[in-house]
Amino acid sequence: MKKQDLRIVIVGGGRVGLRTARTLDNRGHTVTVIEEDPIRSDEIADEYIATVIEGDATKPSILKQVGLEKTDVLAALTADSGTNLAACLTAERYGSPIRTVMRRTDEDSKEYEDLVDQTIFPERAGARAAVNAVDPGTRALEDMIGNLEILVIEVTEDAPVAGRSLTDIGLPTGSLVVSNADGDRIAEAGTELEVGRSYVVATEPDVEDEIVRLFRG
Amino acid sequence: MSEAGDRQPEAELGLLDATMIGMGAMIGAGIFVLTGLAAEIAGPAAILVFALNGVVTAFTGLSYAELAASIPKSGGGYAFVREIFDDLASFIMGWMLWFAYMIAGALYALGFAPNFLELLHVYGVVGPPDEVSAVALPAVGVDVPPAFLLAFVAVFLLAALNAVSTAAAGSAETIFTIIKVSILVIFVAFGVASPMFSGAEFQPLFPEGSGATAILPAMGLTFIAFEGYDLITTVTEEVENPRENIPKAIFISLAATVVVYLAVVAVAIGTLGAEGLADAGEAGIAAAATSFMPTGLPIIQNGGALIVFGAVFSTLTALNAVVIASSRVAFSMGREGQLVPSFGQLHHQYGTPFIAIVASAVVMLGSVALPTQSAGNMSSLFFLLSFVIVNVAVIRLRRERPNMNRPYKMPLYPAPPILGAALNLVLTGVLVEYLIRTDPLALGLSIGWILLGGVAYVALNRYRARTDTEGETDTDSDVSPVTDD
């Protein structure tokens, strides 16, 4: 049976790693962070969003402490591609089956595609935010909304809201279904949430996990 | 714009709130319902029973503090065990803890009913509790004892309330607990001042015949009176500054509860005597209070009524707390794929773990047919077993995850978890032996629940094997903010 919450390991509790951990925790997933620096490790533990393992994630003895056999996804997000690649490869060796996401430091997205499931290049999103600030007349989406998350979220078959209209469901305060399935109309009371279609939902961080649980099961 | 959400999200809980959640759960149960039963088994040594249970449970409290500070999950003991044990062991833990809470719910409902009847009696609405006649149910053609009916209705109403509303219990719980403790403080103050207490007789301390060994089964029975810290850890994610406040809340609530218990039990035995207390059973404290509280007061008339009201209020709020706690355990198990997935689903309109609450309520409603003592025995038994596993989890985590960041590390490791596990096992053994002699029904049902768990586990694995082959993939990648890498 499909598990509803993912077990996620994040390698590197730096700015990218911590931000990622926070967002995933908000969605109700179980997160473990591996962080080498003791001071940073305490800071992350203080946030109470993830279990923290303190150590060098390229060492199998450290990586194994996250319980790889139960982990669904490992995201290696340190600033060093060597460390990230080593962590992904070690995880694939010991974890079964595990998805690996690797942060790369060069623009070429093809470089690691045979070795890990997905690579990301967070600097591009950072650059986009910078461009938005420099040229605010034309803004890309991700930087315009303080703490709100704007999600494009697909309704699963088992989801509590599947097949129901917006009048029938109770959404928590701090959330709003913005558009209908096609993304060309603003949602209204009669809008039906169809299985397999995606909807744009705006949500405050507090209730994001509930939204994910209602739409994704 | 479309429908904006209108349900209120949960509030943040401070140290006081977290402490009061723990105390609220403990103080509702043990003191009002179980004091009489403990006195029946152990005589005046019931005081020792509560003191020693406080000591035993403190070791497990340390384990909970360490786990809760380092594992940020709101599933209580089940979440911690799930972290380090394999599927079967964590399933057993969840299955037992879920049951422990549900039976605790039945116990509190059964404690609520006679106290409620007593309250009605004090104001002359009905006759003395033992003279209230059975309520005839023409529909099914049987007569039902009023206490059973009241317990049933209480569980039904609270479960229904929690099924359709997520009104955060946190801050209200703080006020409730302060009311409960205040009432007990009044009880202790008047009791100590009463002439009955000055001539108090605590000798012989131990009952004749069984002697000092009688306190062991009484400890087993009343162990449930200290289960509150698991409840604190079911709400950790809502607590501010949790890695400091959770351990503090656990220790403060435990210490304060022990103090309150000892004072109340001493007064109850000092005024009513162990025998009188034993005769009053679930309404022991209320009976003690009516014996010495002043009468002829304005509005409430009888001072004893205040204490009886405290008992009614406490059992009801504790019942509410375990309705929530039991459904949270079932919900966590559902989300982990350890119960059918619908247990882990929120209701589309109410936003509550609807199926988990309904399933828990069904078991509780069935369980109110049990004798109070059997409910106490079973609930204590399953809490004891769960706590053994929690202590072992601390040891395993220290060995297998030496590098885990532990914001709170217990002192004198490994002594506390080893002692905690060992003492809980001893009490389990004593309780089982006691059940074999006196309460085969409770023992049989307990074994039955574990066997049922085995069947459920096998069936679930079959179901999982089937659905896994049907549809792979479907990971979280479909939930993405509007931005691409």
Side-chain angles (χ1 to χ4, degrees), chain A residues 1-7 24-25 27 29-32 38 41-42 45-46 48-55 62 65-67 70 99 104 119-122 124-125 128 141-142 149-154 156 158-161 164 166-178 186-189 198 200 206-207 210 212-214 216-217, chain B residues 1-10 67-73 79 81-87 90 166 236-237 239 241-243 246 331 334-352 400-407 460 463-465 467-468 472-485:
Chain A
M1 145 183 9
K2 195 184 70 190
K3 258 192 331 185
Q4 290 156 307
D5 297 329
L6 298 174
R7 281 179 178 268
L24 290 168
D25 172 65
R27 289 188 190 167
H29 299 301
T30 304
V31 186
T32 302
S41 151
D42 283 348
D46 265 338
Y48 210 65
I49 50 169
T51 305
V52 184
I53 306 283
E54 200 177 299
I62 295 290
Q65 289 185 37
V66 302
K70 273 193 251 176
R99 264 186 81 224
R104 59 178 201 272
T119 63
I120 57 158
F121 185 60
R124 181 177 301 168
R128 195 177 288 152
L141 239 186
E142 83 269 12
E149 285 282 2
I150 305 292
L151 304 173
V152 178
I153 187 163
E154 186 191 315
T156 61
D158 307 330
V161 300
R164 298 180 193 275
L166 280 178
T167 36
D168 292 340
I169 64 175
L171 293 175
T173 303
S175 63
L176 183 69
V177 176
V178 179
I186 293 298
E188 48 198 40
S198 294
V200 177
D206 283 356
V207 294
E210 207 178 316
V212 172
R213 285 171 178 183
L214 286 171
R216 303 284 297 164
Chain B
M1 283 278 126
S2 75
E3 305 283 283
D6 51 5
R7 268 189 288 106
Q8 292 304 313
E10 287 145 344
L67 292 171
S70 48
I71 302 172
K73 291 215 77 183
V81 170
R82 180 76 187 138
E83 192 68 29
I84 192 69
F85 281 96
D86 60 12
D87 282 352
S90 41
T166 47
T236 45
E237 283 183 289
V239 175
N241 194 5
R243 65 168 229 177
I246 301 283
F331 180 72
R335 294 209 70 77
E336 289 287 340
Q338 293 215 297
L339 284 177
V340 280
S342 53
F343 277 70
Q345 300 274 19
L346 294 179
H347 190 270
H348 65 276
Q349 185 172 9
Y350 308 126
T352 56
E400 293 180 19
R401 297 193 189 170
N403 296 80
M404 186 165 80
N405 188 309
R406 292 179 171 78
L460 213 65
Y463 174 75
R464 185 180 330 199
T467 51
D468 272 1
E472 267 294 287
T473 72
D474 211 16
T475 53
D476 206 47
S477 56
D478 308 349
V479 186
S480 53
V482 193
T483 133
D484 212 346
D485 148 41

Side-chain angles (χ1 to χ4, degrees), chain A residues 38-161:
Chain A
I39 296 169
R40 186 71 179 166
S41 151
D42 283 348
E43 283 169 12
I44 302 165
D46 265 338
E47 290 218 9
Y48 210 65
I49 50 169
T51 305
V52 184
I53 306 283
E54 200 177 299
D56 175 359
T58 58
K59 290 186 183 155
S61 66
I62 295 290
L63 200 57
K64 279 180 178 174
Q65 289 185 37
V66 302
L68 284 174
E69 66 289 345
K70 273 193 251 176
T71 303
D72 300 300
V73 190
L74 176 134
L77 303 176
T78 72
D80 178 61
S81 349
T83 303
N84 294 345
L85 184 62
C88 287
L89 295 180
T90 314
E92 281 185 354
R93 176 92 165 73
Y94 294 109
S96 62
I98 190 168
R99 264 186 81 224
T100 49
V101 176
M102 176 192 158
R103 175 182 172 187
R104 59 178 201 272
T105 44
D106 51 88
E107 301 252 7
D108 182 6
S109 63
K110 299 266 167 18
E111 183 76 41
Y112 304 99
E113 67 181 359
D114 295 339
L115 297 172
V116 300
D117 292 317
Q118 200 165 345
T119 63
I120 57 158
F121 185 60
E123 283 79 356
R124 181 177 301 168
R128 195 177 288 152
V131 170
N132 281 344
V134 171
D135 177 18
T138 317
R139 294 161 68 96
L141 239 186
E142 83 269 12
D143 191 45
M144 65 177 227
I145 27 208
N147 271 330
L148 287 184
E149 285 282 2
I150 305 292
L151 304 173
V152 178
I153 187 163
E154 186 191 315
V155 176
T156 61
E157 200 178 336
D158 307 330
V161 300

